[in-house]
């Protein structure tokens, strides 16, 4: 058992299902305080967070992540108990192994190793940890960032421990994410008897051509870092359940995953234009879940690529694919942000697992990134 695996075991044994932390953050803060960090618990509503910092000068390099995990589902479906971590045939098994208690353990041990070797390092190192990433994400990282911004405490570079890798640890680094814009559309009709359609107005029939236009619309071309913007309908609901009643309302839930080639406001305007063209009577509620961000080549991306090459001997791919992460709250402050973590093939699944040796490799990557950026 290496130091990283020992810490991963301790964290994974805690039932920290969103928004519960179950003592994970206190364990991390104890380790960080011993390494010379000032630790600041920050609780908002029911969510535990903490900010820890070592040093006062710039640049400030931050490790960000979450201690909460998604529910396990029926534990009887797991090969091993999800909160009793163990190594089986070289694989670390249990909830949070990949997403993302394994990364948290690697971060802490990497920083401990770095500080022991470079006690007088340049700049500052910080941790921004939440227990609300897998949930609504309203009282976690976003609130900590607001607190930091209010006191003008700026993160220069941020490594998020989300599981970014595909086939082997470090083969993919996420240097950006697409934006997420959600909508709930309610098309209003007139309920009536199906035998007398002239006395009713069917919102399903009226909306169908408009929805087809939205699905077939070419929103943008994407660019070198982002695929073209995607519009997807995730749910349609209408009707009373009776076969002889024309419904009075249709509800459509949809989402845009969008590139930096278009803004959320532009997508809203174009959507309304299409709906209005079809003469619909409707209400539309929008939710911006996150804006797109991109960290191009610079100190952080270059250090990550070099560290992975030195530790593993292969080149890493830069990618903006996948869903949202808490990086969307940190990037708008002007910070360089990238995501580097273990393989993501089992995240949120039954029997979540990672190669045990990958966490030690990840520890070495994190430590080498710090050396490239802050070694005195």
């Amino acid at each position: 058992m290496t130091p990283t695996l020992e810490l991963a075991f301790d964290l994974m044994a805690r039932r920290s299902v969103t928004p519960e932390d179950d003592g994970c953050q206190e364990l991390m803060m104890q380790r960080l305080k011993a390494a010379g960090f000032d630790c600041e618990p920050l609780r908002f509503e029911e969510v535990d967070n903490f900010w820890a910092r070592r040093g006062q000068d710039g640049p400030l390099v931050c490790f960000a992540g979450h201690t909460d995990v998604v529910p396990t589902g029926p534990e009887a479906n797991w090969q091993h108990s999800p909160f009793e971590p163990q190594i089986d045939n070289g694989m670390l098994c249990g909830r949070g192994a990949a997403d993302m208690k394994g990364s948290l353990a690697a971060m802490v041990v990497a920083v401990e190793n770095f500080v022991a070797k470079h006690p007088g390092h340049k700049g500052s190192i910080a941790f921004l940890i939440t227990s609300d990433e897998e949930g609504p994400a309203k009282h976690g990282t976003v609130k900590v960032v607001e607190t930091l911004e209010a006191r003008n405490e700026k993160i220069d570079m941020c490594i998020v421990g989300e599981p970014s890798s595909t086939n082997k640890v470090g083969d993919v680094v996420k240097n950006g994410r697409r934006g997420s814009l959600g909508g709930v559309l309610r098309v209003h009709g007139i309920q009536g008897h199906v035998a007398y359609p002239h006395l009713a107005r069917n919102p399903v029939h009226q909306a169908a051509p408009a929805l087809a236009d939205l699905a077939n619309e070419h929103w943008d071309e994407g660019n070198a870092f982002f695929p073209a913007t995607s519009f997807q309908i995730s749910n349609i609901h209408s009707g009373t359940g009776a076969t002889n009643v024309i419904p009075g309302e249709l509800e459509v839930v949809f989402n845009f995953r969008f590139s930096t080639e278009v803004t959320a406001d532009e997508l809203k305007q174009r959507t309304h234009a299409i709906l209005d063209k079809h003469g619909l009577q409707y209400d539309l509620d929008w939710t911006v879940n996150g804006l797109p961000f991109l960290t191009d080549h610079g100190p952080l991306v270059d250090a990550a690529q070099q560290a992975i090459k030195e530790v593993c001997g292969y080149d890493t791919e830069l990618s903006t694919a996948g869903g949202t992460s808490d990086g969307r709250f940190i990037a708008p402050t002007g910070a360089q942000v990238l995501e580097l973590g273990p393989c993501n093939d089992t995240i949120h699944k039954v029997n979540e697992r990672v190669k045990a040796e990958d966490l030690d490799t990840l520890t070495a990557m994190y430590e080498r990134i710090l050396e490239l950026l802050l070694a005195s």
Side-chain angles (χ1 to χ4, degrees):
M1 289 289 288
T2 64
T4 299
L5 288 173
E6 288 180 353
L7 181 53
F9 264 60
D10 286 345
L11 293 170
M12 290 169 59
R14 299 166 190 266
R15 291 179 174 267
S16 56
V17 177
T18 311
E20 296 299 323
D21 170 69
D22 199 22
C24 292
Q25 293 181 21
E26 180 59 35
L27 175 61
M28 293 179 67
M29 284 190 284
Q30 288 175 2
R31 299 280 290 259
L32 293 173
K33 287 176 183 177
F37 282 76
D38 294 321
C39 297
E40 180 182 4
L42 293 167
R43 183 176 175 87
F44 300 102
E45 300 294 333
E46 76 285 5
V47 177
D48 287 310
N49 313 280
F50 79 82
W51 171 253
R53 178 166 180 166
R54 188 182 198 276
Q56 297 299 321
D57 300 327
L60 172 55
V61 179
C62 176
F63 289 95
H66 59 91
T67 54
D68 59 316
V69 296
V70 296
T72 63
E75 294 192 15
N77 294 339
W78 287 65
Q79 182 178 356
H80 305 292
S81 178
F83 294 106
E84 295 179 8
Q86 56 185 285
I87 295 177
D88 182 359
N89 197 28
M91 303 296 290
L92 173 62
C93 307
R95 179 57 89 219
D99 190 12
M100 58 171 285
K101 291 180 178 179
S103 296
L104 296 179
M107 290 173 176
V108 170
V109 174
V111 168
E112 289 173 336
N113 293 343
F114 174 78
V115 168
K117 296 175 185 176
H118 307 277
H121 61 80
K122 298 183 295 186
S124 302
I125 308 170
F127 280 75
L128 194 169
I129 307 297
T130 183
S131 61
D132 190 34
E133 197 276 343
E134 300 289 9
K138 292 182 178 179
H139 302 294
T141 299
V142 62
K143 291 295 186 182
V144 178
V145 169
E146 289 175 1
T147 301
L148 298 177
E149 287 289 286
R151 63 197 192 198
N152 200 32
E153 191 169 2
K154 292 287 188 179
I155 297 171
D156 296 296
M157 290 169 272
C158 182
I159 302 167
V160 184
E162 290 292 343
S164 63
S165 305
T166 302
N167 297 312
K168 50 189 178 181
V169 64
D171 63 351
V172 177
V173 167
K174 302 293 177 67
N175 66 321
R177 291 284 190 168
R178 292 176 293 175
S180 176
L181 172 65
V184 179
L185 170 67
R186 296 177 183 86
V187 181
H188 307 298
I190 298 176
Q191 183 174 311
H193 197 294
V194 297
Y196 302 96
H198 59 290
L199 300 178
R201 188 175 71 245
N202 194 320
V204 179
H205 293 180
Q206 287 195 310
L211 297 179
D213 281 357
L214 289 169
N216 293 321
E217 178 74 2
H218 185 74
W219 301 97
D220 62 37
E221 296 284 350
N223 55 38
F225 289 99
F226 291 92
T229 293
S230 167
F231 168 87
Q232 294 293 322
I233 295 172
S234 56
N235 189 273
I236 295 180
H237 176 75
S238 188
T240 64
T243 61
N244 60 351
V245 178
I246 293 172
E249 185 173 277
L250 169 71
E251 182 179 274
V252 182
V253 181
F254 62 87
N255 183 267
F256 286 99
R257 292 301 166 102
F258 62 102
S259 75
T260 50
E261 295 297 304
V262 65
T263 67
D265 285 341
E266 289 171 350
L267 292 173
K268 293 178 184 179
Q269 293 167 5
R270 291 170 63 182
T271 299
H272 282 286
I274 290 172
L275 297 173
D276 293 341
K277 180 183 71 172
H278 289 273
L280 302 182
Q281 295 183 22
Y282 68 91
D283 295 312
L284 179 50
D285 297 323
W286 294 99
T287 302
V288 178
N289 300 304
L291 298 176
F293 68 90
L294 177 69
T295 298
D296 208 340
H297 283 281
L300 182 58
V301 169
D302 293 348
Q305 289 184 309
Q306 182 177 338
I308 293 167
K309 182 72 171 182
E310 291 180 6
V311 172
C312 296
Y314 46 75
D315 295 324
T316 190
E317 173 190 351
L318 299 179
S319 171
T320 61
T324 59
S325 78
D326 275 3
R328 70 189 189 273
F329 302 126
I330 301 168
T333 68
Q336 300 172 48
V337 178
L338 63 77
E339 299 171 23
L340 171 58
C343 292
N344 54 27
D345 55 323
T346 65
I347 59 174
H348 293 205
K349 293 183 178 181
V350 169
N351 296 325
E352 181 179 348
R353 60 189 58 206
V354 296
K355 287 184 179 178
E357 63 182 18
D358 281 357
L359 296 187
D360 291 319
T361 302
L362 188 61
T363 302
M365 291 177 182
Y366 289 154
E367 182 180 348
R368 184 57 183 147
I369 291 172
L370 286 174
E371 288 177 343
L372 292 169
L373 295 173
L374 299 181
S376 53

